[in-house]
């Protein structure tokens, strides 16, 4: 009694679970291959820690995937085309891809999603090596820069999380504007 779309989604979920089960079996201690399935999770988990329970895990990871793809673009030149394809794919599944998505901004807690707060939460991620944050960096869709999560500095993460800026003219003062960084 499932629709074609529901059956397709169920097949995608089954396939994903099968892949993850195989990877977990191969890399029980999460020393390399297994942490590659955490693409989007370093930043996504930090977002989730602030927005739970109003935002679902998958929604937060979806946003994290795009932000981590932007980190890969900044550090290793992941193409904008690849980020666009990833964005379109996630949007097709009606997932948010940005902290400026209305599903995020309508939440009172969204005001607590600041760069400093996210960086602070990321400090306790299990993939980290000491204070160094680890992020799975894509070199292309389906390929990673390393065969494990890569070390990324707070400065780079801060830059990517602060990419969105709003310029608002100050009408009372001609030729002046206020610049506000999002997140």
């Amino acid at each position: 009694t499932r629709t074609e779309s529901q059956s397709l989604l169920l097949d995608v979920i089954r396939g994903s679970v099968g892949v993850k089960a195989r990877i977990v079996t191969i890399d029980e201690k999460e020393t390399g291959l297994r942490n590659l399935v955490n693409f989007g999770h370093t930043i996504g988990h930090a977002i989730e820690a602030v927005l739970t329970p109003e935002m679902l895990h998958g929604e937060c990871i979806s946003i994290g995937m795009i932000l981590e793809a932007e980190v890969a673009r900044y550090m290793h030149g992941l193409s904008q085309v690849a980020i666009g394809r990833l964005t379109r794919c996630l949007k097709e599944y009606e997932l948010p891809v940005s902290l400026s998505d209305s599903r995020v901004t309508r939440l009172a807690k969204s005001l607590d999603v600041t760069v400093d707060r996210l960086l602070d939460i990321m400090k306790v991620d299990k993939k980290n090596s000491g204070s160094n944050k680890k992020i799975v960096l894509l070199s292309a869709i389906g390929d990673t820069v390393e065969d494990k999560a890569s070390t990324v500095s707070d400065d780079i993460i801060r830059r990517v999380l602060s990419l969105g800026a709003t310029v608002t003219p100050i009408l009372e003062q001609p030729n002046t504007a206020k610049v506000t960084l999002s997140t």
Side-chain angles (χ1 to χ4, degrees):
T1 61
R2 291 186 186 100
T3 68
E4 186 177 336
S5 294
Q6 289 171 327
S7 294
L8 177 61
L9 182 58
L10 189 56
D11 288 343
V12 168
I13 292 168
R14 277 191 198 112
S16 298
V17 169
V19 168
K20 185 161 185 180
R22 176 80 175 124
I23 289 170
V24 169
T25 301
I26 292 169
D27 185 10
E28 288 182 47
K29 304 252 190 256
E30 202 161 339
T31 57
L33 179 63
R34 183 172 169 186
N35 71 27
L36 293 182
V37 299
N38 290 321
F39 170 61
H41 282 67
T42 301
I43 294 175
H45 278 156
I47 294 167
E48 183 180 19
V50 177
L51 298 180
T52 292
E54 286 83 2
M55 292 290 291
L56 299 173
H57 172 77
E59 293 171 324
C60 296
I61 300 309
S62 176
I63 296 167
M65 289 169 68
I66 298 304
L67 291 169
E68 290 184 17
E70 288 291 349
V71 170
R73 182 168 72 95
Y74 181 78
M75 290 181 69
H76 297 283
L78 177 65
S79 75
Q80 188 61 48
V81 171
I83 296 171
R85 286 182 62 204
L86 180 59
T87 299
R88 285 189 304 281
C89 179
L90 294 169
K91 282 183 173 182
E92 281 295 315
Y93 286 97
E94 298 182 15
L95 290 165
V97 294
S98 155
L99 288 169
S100 61
D101 185 287
S102 62
R103 290 168 282 191
V104 176
T105 58
R106 68 179 162 77
L107 303 173
K109 289 180 177 182
S110 70
L111 298 175
D112 297 330
V113 181
T114 64
V115 173
D116 288 332
R117 178 114 188 252
L118 294 178
L119 284 169
D120 194 46
I121 292 167
M122 281 186 249
K123 286 180 189 175
V124 298
D125 190 292
K126 68 181 180 179
K127 291 182 300 303
N128 290 345
S129 177
S131 63
N132 295 320
K133 307 223 175 22
K134 299 282 195 164
I135 292 179
V136 176
L137 298 176
L138 298 180
S139 57
I141 292 177
D143 201 8
T144 56
V145 171
E146 296 184 72
D147 59 358
K148 60 184 180 187
S150 303
T151 301
V152 179
S153 74
D154 282 4
D155 289 341
I156 291 172
I157 297 169
R158 180 180 300 282
R159 175 171 280 201
V160 168
L161 291 176
S162 300
L163 280 178
T166 304
V167 179
T168 310
I170 300 174
L171 300 176
E172 305 82 43
Q173 300 172 355
N175 300 318
T176 60
K178 174 183 167 187
V179 177
T180 309
L181 295 177
S182 64
T183 315

